[in-house]
Amino acid sequence: PVFFGRSSRSEYWWFLPFGLALPVGTFLVLRVGEAPLPLPEAFAWSCLALLPLAAVTLRRCNDIGEGSSLFLPPAGALAFLAVGWPLHAAYWAWVSPMLAHGDGPGMFLVVLVFTPLAGLSFLALCAALLFGLFAGASLFGHMLLPSDPAPNRFGAPPQEWAA
């Protein structure tokens, strides 16, 4: 994927269905089959399949003159979720047997330290999800704006597709 330059509004909107179908298809392939991946890992791999869409979205942001200032907040929230969710799931897979069968001073440490940390990580993941949804909605709205007709710091305006 090319992350520099400019993309026209029509290029973005024509690419959007494929750019959304790629991670969804990746997720479905990884979750259905002989040995499906667990949900957090399939989600993380699907996020990697978003790279072509991320490239055209960043170029579209360049086209309207905004650059990465619009792109980075939702992308950062998505990256935090893609890394944080599998880590949170792995953490609970590690702690759950201790909660089910533990007792004594070791269990005291698990309940006193590890369980509140898991709660805080869950709250951080929820906050990242909400922030990402709002930032993504704002980014999506900016994709409707017309191209900057003059050359800007990202290059010359893209050629619109011939009708």
Side-chain angles (χ1 to χ4, degrees):
V2 179
F3 285 90
F4 57 89
R6 294 171 65 173
S7 288
S8 67
R9 185 168 36 177
S10 62
E11 180 183 355
Y12 174 80
W13 288 106
W14 278 105
F15 183 77
L16 185 64
F18 171 76
L20 291 174
L22 186 62
V24 170
T26 302
F27 181 80
L28 291 175
V29 165
L30 293 175
R31 287 291 292 162
V32 177
E34 201 169 301
L37 280 179
L39 188 62
E41 286 85 351
F43 175 75
W45 281 108
S46 297
C47 288
L48 283 177
L50 279 171
L51 283 177
L53 183 59
V56 75
T57 302
L58 182 60
R59 290 195 320 267
R60 180 74 186 112
C61 289
N62 292 345
D63 186 44
I64 61 174
E66 293 293 331
S68 60
S69 63
L70 282 174
F71 177 76
L72 288 179
L78 184 63
F80 182 78
L81 287 169
V83 172
W85 186 15
L87 288 176
H88 184 77
Y91 174 80
W92 271 110
W94 176 65
V95 169
S96 293
M98 289 188 270
L99 289 172
H101 304 294
D103 59 356
M107 187 61 190
F108 179 73
L109 179 67
V110 167
V111 171
L112 189 64
V113 176
F114 294 135
T115 305
L117 286 177
L120 288 175
S121 70
F122 178 73
L123 289 176
L125 289 170
C126 289
L129 177 65
L130 286 175
F131 176 75
L133 288 174
F134 286 118
S138 172
L139 175 66
F140 193 73
H142 279 86
M143 297 297 103
L144 297 169
L145 295 175
S147 297
D148 188 0
N152 63 19
R153 61 188 168 128
F154 303 105
Q159 297 296 321
E160 289 290 333
W161 295 4

mmCIF file with all atom_site columns, all heavy atoms in Angstrom, residues 49-65:
data_model
loop_
_atom_site.group_PDB
_atom_site.id
_atom_site.type_symbol
_atom_site.label_atom_id
_atom_site.label_alt_id
_atom_site.label_comp_id
_atom_site.label_asym_id
_atom_site.label_entity_id
_atom_site.label_seq_id
_atom_site.pdbx_PDB_ins_code
_atom_site.Cartn_x
_atom_site.Cartn_y
_atom_site.Cartn_z
_atom_site.occupancy
_atom_site.B_iso_or_equiv
_atom_site.pdbx_formal_charge
_atom_site.auth_seq_id
_atom_site.auth_comp_id
_atom_site.auth_asym_id
_atom_site.auth_atom_id
_atom_site.pdbx_PDB_model_num
ATOM 1   N N   . ALA A 1 49 ? -5.337  -6.654 7.696  1.00 0.00 ? 49 ALA A N   1
ATOM 2   C CA  . ALA A 1 49 ? -5.936  -6.602 6.364  1.00 0.00 ? 49 ALA A CA  1
ATOM 3   C C   . ALA A 1 49 ? -6.545  -5.236 6.074  1.00 0.00 ? 49 ALA A C   1
ATOM 4   O O   . ALA A 1 49 ? -6.968  -4.976 4.939  1.00 0.00 ? 49 ALA A O   1
ATOM 5   C CB  . ALA A 1 49 ? -6.988  -7.699 6.225  1.00 0.00 ? 49 ALA A CB  1
ATOM 6   N N   . LEU A 1 50 ? -6.587  -4.356 7.062  1.00 0.00 ? 50 LEU A N   1
ATOM 7   C CA  . LEU A 1 50 ? -7.077  -2.996 6.857  1.00 0.00 ? 50 LEU A CA  1
ATOM 8   C C   . LEU A 1 50 ? -6.022  -2.064 6.259  1.00 0.00 ? 50 LEU A C   1
ATOM 9   O O   . LEU A 1 50 ? -6.323  -0.915 5.957  1.00 0.00 ? 50 LEU A O   1
ATOM 10  C CB  . LEU A 1 50 ? -7.551  -2.401 8.193  1.00 0.00 ? 50 LEU A CB  1
ATOM 11  C CG  . LEU A 1 50 ? -8.936  -2.782 8.669  1.00 0.00 ? 50 LEU A CG  1
ATOM 12  C CD1 . LEU A 1 50 ? -9.155  -2.298 10.091 1.00 0.00 ? 50 LEU A CD1 1
ATOM 13  C CD2 . LEU A 1 50 ? -9.984  -2.200 7.748  1.00 0.00 ? 50 LEU A CD2 1
ATOM 14  N N   . LEU A 1 51 ? -4.780  -2.535 6.107  1.00 0.00 ? 51 LEU A N   1
ATOM 15  C CA  . LEU A 1 51 ? -3.708  -1.654 5.620  1.00 0.00 ? 51 LEU A CA  1
ATOM 16  C C   . LEU A 1 51 ? -4.008  -1.007 4.263  1.00 0.00 ? 51 LEU A C   1
ATOM 17  O O   . LEU A 1 51 ? -3.757  0.189  4.103  1.00 0.00 ? 51 LEU A O   1
ATOM 18  C CB  . LEU A 1 51 ? -2.381  -2.398 5.588  1.00 0.00 ? 51 LEU A CB  1
ATOM 19  C CG  . LEU A 1 51 ? -1.710  -2.564 6.944  1.00 0.00 ? 51 LEU A CG  1
ATOM 20  C CD1 . LEU A 1 51 ? -0.440  -3.384 6.819  1.00 0.00 ? 51 LEU A CD1 1
ATOM 21  C CD2 . LEU A 1 51 ? -1.398  -1.220 7.562  1.00 0.00 ? 51 LEU A CD2 1
ATOM 22  N N   . PRO A 1 52 ? -4.544  -1.726 3.260  1.00 0.00 ? 52 PRO A N   1
ATOM 23  C CA  . PRO A 1 52 ? -4.859  -1.031 2.002  1.00 0.00 ? 52 PRO A CA  1
ATOM 24  C C   . PRO A 1 52 ? -5.899  0.080  2.180  1.00 0.00 ? 52 PRO A C   1
ATOM 25  O O   . PRO A 1 52 ? -5.766  1.158  1.605  1.00 0.00 ? 52 PRO A O   1
ATOM 26  C CB  . PRO A 1 52 ? -5.398  -2.145 1.101  1.00 0.00 ? 52 PRO A CB  1
ATOM 27  C CG  . PRO A 1 52 ? -4.812  -3.390 1.650  1.00 0.00 ? 52 PRO A CG  1
ATOM 28  C CD  . PRO A 1 52 ? -4.715  -3.172 3.141  1.00 0.00 ? 52 PRO A CD  1
ATOM 29  N N   . LEU A 1 53 ? -6.905  -0.167 3.000  1.00 0.00 ? 53 LEU A N   1
ATOM 30  C CA  . LEU A 1 53 ? -7.906  0.865  3.259  1.00 0.00 ? 53 LEU A CA  1
ATOM 31  C C   . LEU A 1 53 ? -7.283  2.024  4.033  1.00 0.00 ? 53 LEU A C   1
ATOM 32  O O   . LEU A 1 53 ? -7.601  3.192  3.783  1.00 0.00 ? 53 LEU A O   1
ATOM 33  C CB  . LEU A 1 53 ? -9.098  0.281  4.027  1.00 0.00 ? 53 LEU A CB  1
ATOM 34  C CG  . LEU A 1 53 ? -10.245 1.249  4.307  1.00 0.00 ? 53 LEU A CG  1
ATOM 35  C CD1 . LEU A 1 53 ? -10.814 1.812  3.015  1.00 0.00 ? 53 LEU A CD1 1
ATOM 36  C CD2 . LEU A 1 53 ? -11.332 0.570  5.109  1.00 0.00 ? 53 LEU A CD2 1
ATOM 37  N N   . ALA A 1 54 ? -6.400  1.721  4.954  1.00 0.00 ? 54 ALA A N   1
ATOM 38  C CA  . ALA A 1 54 ? -5.721  2.780  5.699  1.00 0.00 ? 54 ALA A CA  1
ATOM 39  C C   . ALA A 1 54 ? -4.887  3.653  4.758  1.00 0.00 ? 54 ALA A C   1
ATOM 40  O O   . ALA A 1 54 ? -4.846  4.876  4.903  1.00 0.00 ? 54 ALA A O   1
ATOM 41  C CB  . ALA A 1 54 ? -4.836  2.180  6.786  1.00 0.00 ? 54 ALA A CB  1
ATOM 42  N N   . ALA A 1 55 ? -4.254  3.027  3.770  1.00 0.00 ? 55 ALA A N   1
ATOM 43  C CA  . ALA A 1 55 ? -3.424  3.787  2.834  1.00 0.00 ? 55 ALA A CA  1
ATOM 44  C C   . ALA A 1 55 ? -4.269  4.756  2.012  1.00 0.00 ? 55 ALA A C   1
ATOM 45  O O   . ALA A 1 55 ? -3.929  5.944  1.891  1.00 0.00 ? 55 ALA A O   1
ATOM 46  C CB  . ALA A 1 55 ? -2.664  2.832  1.918  1.00 0.00 ? 55 ALA A CB  1
ATOM 47  N N   . VAL A 1 56 ? -5.373  4.280  1.455  1.00 0.00 ? 56 VAL A N   1
ATOM 48  C CA  . VAL A 1 56 ? -6.199  5.165  0.637  1.00 0.00 ? 56 VAL A CA  1
ATOM 49  C C   . VAL A 1 56 ? -6.884  6.229  1.504  1.00 0.00 ? 56 VAL A C   1
ATOM 50  O O   . VAL A 1 56 ? -7.081  7.365  1.068  1.00 0.00 ? 56 VAL A O   1
ATOM 51  C CB  . VAL A 1 56 ? -7.209  4.367  -0.224 1.00 0.00 ? 56 VAL A CB  1
ATOM 52  C CG1 . VAL A 1 56 ? -8.363  3.834  0.591  1.00 0.00 ? 56 VAL A CG1 1
ATOM 53  C CG2 . VAL A 1 56 ? -7.724  5.206  -1.371 1.00 0.00 ? 56 VAL A CG2 1
ATOM 54  N N   . THR A 1 57 ? -7.200  5.906  2.746  1.00 0.00 ? 57 THR A N   1
ATOM 55  C CA  . THR A 1 57 ? -7.806  6.892  3.644  1.00 0.00 ? 57 THR A CA  1
ATOM 56  C C   . THR A 1 57 ? -6.808  7.986  3.991  1.00 0.00 ? 57 THR A C   1
ATOM 57  O O   . THR A 1 57 ? -7.151  9.178  4.000  1.00 0.00 ? 57 THR A O   1
ATOM 58  C CB  . THR A 1 57 ? -8.325  6.205  4.921  1.00 0.00 ? 57 THR A CB  1
ATOM 59  O OG1 . THR A 1 57 ? -9.275  5.199  4.555  1.00 0.00 ? 57 THR A OG1 1
ATOM 60  C CG2 . THR A 1 57 ? -8.985  7.199  5.859  1.00 0.00 ? 57 THR A CG2 1
ATOM 61  N N   . LEU A 1 58 ? -5.572  7.621  4.271  1.00 0.00 ? 58 LEU A N   1
ATOM 62  C CA  . LEU A 1 58 ? -4.551  8.630  4.566  1.00 0.00 ? 58 LEU A CA  1
ATOM 63  C C   . LEU A 1 58 ? -4.300  9.506  3.343  1.00 0.00 ? 58 LEU A C   1
ATOM 64  O O   . LEU A 1 58 ? -4.173  10.728 3.465  1.00 0.00 ? 58 LEU A O   1
ATOM 65  C CB  . LEU A 1 58 ? -3.258  7.972  5.031  1.00 0.00 ? 58 LEU A CB  1
ATOM 66  C CG  . LEU A 1 58 ? -2.138  8.926  5.424  1.00 0.00 ? 58 LEU A CG  1
ATOM 67  C CD1 . LEU A 1 58 ? -2.583  9.826  6.579  1.00 0.00 ? 58 LEU A CD1 1
ATOM 68  C CD2 . LEU A 1 58 ? -0.900  8.165  5.815  1.00 0.00 ? 58 LEU A CD2 1
ATOM 69  N N   . ARG A 1 59 ? -4.259  8.906  2.152  1.00 0.00 ? 59 ARG A N   1
ATOM 70  C CA  . ARG A 1 59 ? -4.076  9.714  0.944  1.00 0.00 ? 59 ARG A CA  1
ATOM 71  C C   . ARG A 1 59 ? -5.272  10.636 0.722  1.00 0.00 ? 59 ARG A C   1
ATOM 72  O O   . ARG A 1 59 ? -5.120  11.762 0.246  1.00 0.00 ? 59 ARG A O   1
ATOM 73  C CB  . ARG A 1 59 ? -3.855  8.807  -0.268 1.00 0.00 ? 59 ARG A CB  1
ATOM 74  C CG  . ARG A 1 59 ? -2.522  8.108  -0.249 1.00 0.00 ? 59 ARG A CG  1
ATOM 75  C CD  . ARG A 1 59 ? -2.133  7.494  -1.583 1.00 0.00 ? 59 ARG A CD  1
ATOM 76  N NE  . ARG A 1 59 ? -3.203  6.863  -2.321 1.00 0.00 ? 59 ARG A NE  1
ATOM 77  C CZ  . ARG A 1 59 ? -3.516  5.566  -2.261 1.00 0.00 ? 59 ARG A CZ  1
ATOM 78  N NH1 . ARG A 1 59 ? -2.847  4.760  -1.466 1.00 0.00 ? 59 ARG A NH1 1
ATOM 79  N NH2 . ARG A 1 59 ? -4.504  5.082  -2.997 1.00 0.00 ? 59 ARG A NH2 1
ATOM 80  N N   . ARG A 1 60 ? -6.468  10.178 1.089  1.00 0.00 ? 60 ARG A N   1
ATOM 81  C CA  . ARG A 1 60 ? -7.664  11.039 0.972  1.00 0.00 ? 60 ARG A CA  1
ATOM 82  C C   . ARG A 1 60 ? -7.578  12.204 1.960  1.00 0.00 ? 60 ARG A C   1
ATOM 83  O O   . ARG A 1 60 ? -7.938  13.329 1.637  1.00 0.00 ? 60 ARG A O   1
ATOM 84  C CB  . ARG A 1 60 ? -8.923  10.203 1.217  1.00 0.00 ? 60 ARG A CB  1
ATOM 85  C CG  . ARG A 1 60 ? -10.193 10.970 1.116  1.00 0.00 ? 60 ARG A CG  1
ATOM 86  C CD  . ARG A 1 60 ? -10.555 11.294 -0.337 1.00 0.00 ? 60 ARG A CD  1
ATOM 87  N NE  . ARG A 1 60 ? -11.714 12.165 -0.329 1.00 0.00 ? 60 ARG A NE  1
ATOM 88  C CZ  . ARG A 1 60 ? -11.695 13.437 -0.707 1.00 0.00 ? 60 ARG A CZ  1
ATOM 89  N NH1 . ARG A 1 60 ? -10.610 13.971 -1.189 1.00 0.00 ? 60 ARG A NH1 1
ATOM 90  N NH2 . ARG A 1 60 ? -12.783 14.163 -0.643 1.00 0.00 ? 60 ARG A NH2 1
ATOM 91  N N   . CYS A 1 61 ? -7.078  11.933 3.171  1.00 0.00 ? 61 CYS A N   1
ATOM 92  C CA  . CYS A 1 61 ? -6.861  13.012 4.139  1.00 0.00 ? 61 CYS A CA  1
ATOM 93  C C   . CYS A 1 61 ? -5.850  14.022 3.597  1.00 0.00 ? 61 CYS A C   1
ATOM 94  O O   . CYS A 1 61 ? -6.007  15.226 3.780  1.00 0.00 ? 61 CYS A O   1
ATOM 95  C CB  . CYS A 1 61 ? -6.370  12.451 5.475  1.00 0.00 ? 61 CYS A CB  1
ATOM 96  S SG  . CYS A 1 61 ? -7.603  11.547 6.408  1.00 0.00 ? 61 CYS A SG  1
ATOM 97  N N   . ASN A 1 62 ? -4.815  13.512 2.928  1.00 0.00 ? 62 ASN A N   1
ATOM 98  C CA  . ASN A 1 62 ? -3.839  14.404 2.295  1.00 0.00 ? 62 ASN A CA  1
ATOM 99  C C   . ASN A 1 62 ? -4.506  15.249 1.218  1.00 0.00 ? 62 ASN A C   1
ATOM 100 O O   . ASN A 1 62 ? -4.178  16.423 1.044  1.00 0.00 ? 62 ASN A O   1
ATOM 101 C CB  . ASN A 1 62 ? -2.704  13.600 1.664  1.00 0.00 ? 62 ASN A CB  1
ATOM 102 C CG  . ASN A 1 62 ? -1.827  12.921 2.683  1.00 0.00 ? 62 ASN A CG  1
ATOM 103 O OD1 . ASN A 1 62 ? -1.867  13.231 3.863  1.00 0.00 ? 62 ASN A OD1 1
ATOM 104 N ND2 . ASN A 1 62 ? -1.045  11.960 2.215  1.00 0.00 ? 62 ASN A ND2 1
ATOM 105 N N   . ASP A 1 63 ? -5.436  14.661 0.500  1.00 0.00 ? 63 ASP A N   1
ATOM 106 C CA  . ASP A 1 63 ? -6.098  15.357 -0.600 1.00 0.00 ? 63 ASP A CA  1
ATOM 107 C C   . ASP A 1 63 ? -6.917  16.543 -0.111 1.00 0.00 ? 63 ASP A C   1
ATOM 108 O O   . ASP A 1 63 ? -6.987  17.563 -0.790 1.00 0.00 ? 63 ASP A O   1
ATOM 109 C CB  . ASP A 1 63 ? -6.985  14.378 -1.370 1.00 0.00 ? 63 ASP A CB  1
ATOM 110 C CG  . ASP A 1 63 ? -7.587  15.000 -2.607 1.00 0.00 ? 63 ASP A CG  1
ATOM 111 O OD1 . ASP A 1 63 ? -6.851  15.693 -3.341 1.00 0.00 ? 63 ASP A OD1 1
ATOM 112 O OD2 . ASP A 1 63 ? -8.790  14.796 -2.844 1.00 0.00 ? 63 ASP A OD2 1
ATOM 113 N N   . ILE A 1 64 ? -7.536  16.427 1.048  1.00 0.00 ? 64 ILE A N   1
ATOM 114 C CA  . ILE A 1 64 ? -8.325  17.561 1.559  1.00 0.00 ? 64 ILE A CA  1
ATOM 115 C C   . ILE A 1 64 ? -7.469  18.500 2.396  1.00 0.00 ? 64 ILE A C   1
ATOM 116 O O   . ILE A 1 64 ? -7.969  19.457 2.965  1.00 0.00 ? 64 ILE A O   1
ATOM 117 C CB  . ILE A 1 64 ? -9.565  17.087 2.353  1.00 0.00 ? 64 ILE A CB  1
ATOM 118 C CG1 . ILE A 1 64 ? -9.179  16.263 3.576  1.00 0.00 ? 64 ILE A CG1 1
ATOM 119 C CG2 . ILE A 1 64 ? -10.523 16.338 1.458  1.00 0.00 ? 64 ILE A CG2 1
ATOM 120 C CD1 . ILE A 1 64 ? -10.350 15.894 4.464  1.00 0.00 ? 64 ILE A CD1 1
ATOM 121 N N   . GLY A 1 65 ? -6.165  18.211 2.484  1.00 0.00 ? 65 GLY A N   1
ATOM 122 C CA  . GLY A 1 65 ? -5.239  19.109 3.152  1.00 0.00 ? 65 GLY A CA  1
ATOM 123 C C   . GLY A 1 65 ? -5.071  18.879 4.640  1.00 0.00 ? 65 GLY A C   1
ATOM 124 O O   . GLY A 1 65 ? -4.435  19.672 5.322  1.00 0.00 ? 65 GLY A O   1
#
